[in-house]
Amino acid sequence: MADGVMDVTEHFGSSVFNDAVMRERLPKNVYKTLRKTIDEGEELDPTIADVVAAAMKDWAIEKGATHYCHWFQPMTGSTAEKHDSFISPTQDGRVIMEFSGKELIKGEPDASSFPSGGLRATFEARGYTAWDCTSPVFVKNDGANMTLFIPCAFCSYTDHALDKKTPLLRSMEALSKQAVRVLRALGNTTSKRVTATLGSEQEYFLIDRQFADERMDLICSGRTLFGAPSPKGQELEDQYFGSLHDRIGSFMNELNTELWALGISAKTQHNEVAPAQYEIAPIFATVNVATDWNQLTMETLRDVAGRHGFMCLLHEKPFAGVNGSGKHNNWSMGTNDGINLLDPGATPHDNLVFLTFLCAIVRAVDTYAPMLRASVASASNDHRLGANEAPPAIISVFLGEQLNEIFEQLATGKAKGGKGAGCIKLGVNSLPVLPKDNTDRNRTSPFAFTGNRFEFRMVGSSMSPSGANFVLNTIVAECLSQIADELEKSKSVNATCQDILSKIAKDHKRVVFNGNNYSAEWEKEAKKRGLPNLKTTPEAYAMILSKENYAVMEKHGVLTKEELTARTETLYEQYCLALNIEAKTMLYMAKRQILPACIEYSARLADAAKSVGTAGKTQKELLKTVCKLIDTASAGVVALEKARIAADGIDHADKKADAFLKKVIPVMNKLRESVDALEEIVDASIWPLPTYAEMLLMR
Ligand code: ADP
Ligand code: MG
């Protein structure tokens, strides 16, 4: 290899205590026990924890680590870490480096400041973190500080979930259990576990740091709260898949290098549709690991951007008028012996298994659409969903032409044979052989079948993937359990299965839509079909605390009624906090930067008008326009101040959210309108903020 060229195969995973390292460094029996724990989800045997911890510590110290931390994912949506060094004092005033099994398995952060939705009063503030041994530990540096990271779940001492990971892990168990039941009933005797898999495509913007640093809106809320459109936007479609700018290429190179070291299989990278917008996608993994990866990817994006003179924006809508960012959630289910359950397969029996899982998903998505919609709702994602952006707020399923044909045949109970395909006999009925290569795409669908997985496109770019996936896992587990209940009782499994599938197709065909999801006709049609269209976050959250949702979460051991209630409370809080910060940031910028600049400009215009006397028609007219807009903007400031304080003073979370939605956002929009109009006429040398054109187009 040439000098300075990285051997990716050597480098990949070099910061991870992965299977190869475990095998090499752990005694054989310890390795075997740990492997069993990881593969079969059993509890970790405490007697081996000390040995594992010691091996991890030695490995981490060789890598330069001085500290370890329990790394967890509180309800804030970001990650949390508290570092402890390995040092342990000795009698003679020196230290040794120690790390016990107890310290590996359990941590007790003083975590009273994390949102819990009232689950944990501050006087009993203790929560604990517990190692999720199915996600490997790794070392990571922050500047010169190197730390051993232990991926953890975070619970209260009463065992209430206080984080995003716990329900995800519980939902994976539920899904596995129900999926295995269905597989057994359909004659599979070998698969022991089923895991949900996730590949999350991450979209983001990169803006030159010098511009970003001058915008308090980007710093405080991750999006521009003011800004007139750039003369050139995305209309030329010259950015999507365009050649990479050198600065971006270098950024991506360092990003990949860091992610690969962490064992994250960063695979795809390209320019996205909007100017300054990009995407990165890893190869899929087990959903909890993929979620950890995504959190690390978002952090690494921000860090590496800083080092390359950029600010990375993960917000769903950093700039008005150009595309926003999503996190396409490619989701499937795989067995421990390598079967992708959403792969149509080669034999008629495989097809039946495939169709059964597919129908379970369709039923789940239709039945629990409001909760699925709520799982991706946030103040920032509202700028995409329900705002004439991709995808819409109405949840529907895209199956593709051929699969749709089969689905319709199931619904009518008459199989005619699919396009150019033979028929397979199943019980009394027959089904067409499924095409293996089902590659037709619909880019507008929020929940699209893409050949061997579903792509849930409503997840927001800045969100933890956890919420969407634990809901998805749980509702699919429920529909699988309903199917398993019937199949297990049946004497003629194939015929029963066929009946179940026909019934599902009949009952839930309303959620299947293969046309253009962005069209106004679809909105009308969806209404006719009775599909919910929850355009805003408060509307979506209002649907969470229903009898059905409590029941499905409790039945599968994912969240208790108390936990779901508390979690929803926290979601409302986060929504209000985000909007409160945006409103305050707007006021900060309008009062201290924008209005002073405009007033200065008006004074200049007044001077100019005076000095040119009666000849200065343009000066006078411009002065009038500017003064009028200044008055409108000032009135907007006053109105926003009032609306914000009023909303913020409301006690009940749902009423407060409603006030921010209905009373604060419209006033924010109005203030922005007058400020953006001012931006378009005020002298560029006076305007205090970098413009859209500068931020989006200049590298
Ligand atoms: P596109 O943009 O065409 O949708 P990408 O290649 O950008 O495709 O992303 C597709 C994602 O789907 C990748 O992360 C890929 O690993 C993932 N994926 C592929 N198969 C599965 C699967 N069985 N389960 C989950 N994710 C999958
Ligand atoms: Mg995609």
Side-chain angles (χ1 to χ4, degrees), residues 601 605-606 608-609 612-626:
Y601 182 54
L605 282 174
V612 293
T614 47
K617 188 163 165 252
T618 305
Q619 288 85 334
K620 270 184 217 135
E621 261 167 27
L622 195 53
L623 177 61
K624 243 203 242 157
T625 313
V626 169

Side-chain angles (χ1 to χ4, degrees), residues 269-284:
Q269 61 192 25
H270 58 82
N271 285 359
E272 257 301 330
V273 170
Q277 192 187 25
Y278 309 92
E279 178 180 308
I280 180 167
I283 297 171
F284 71 94

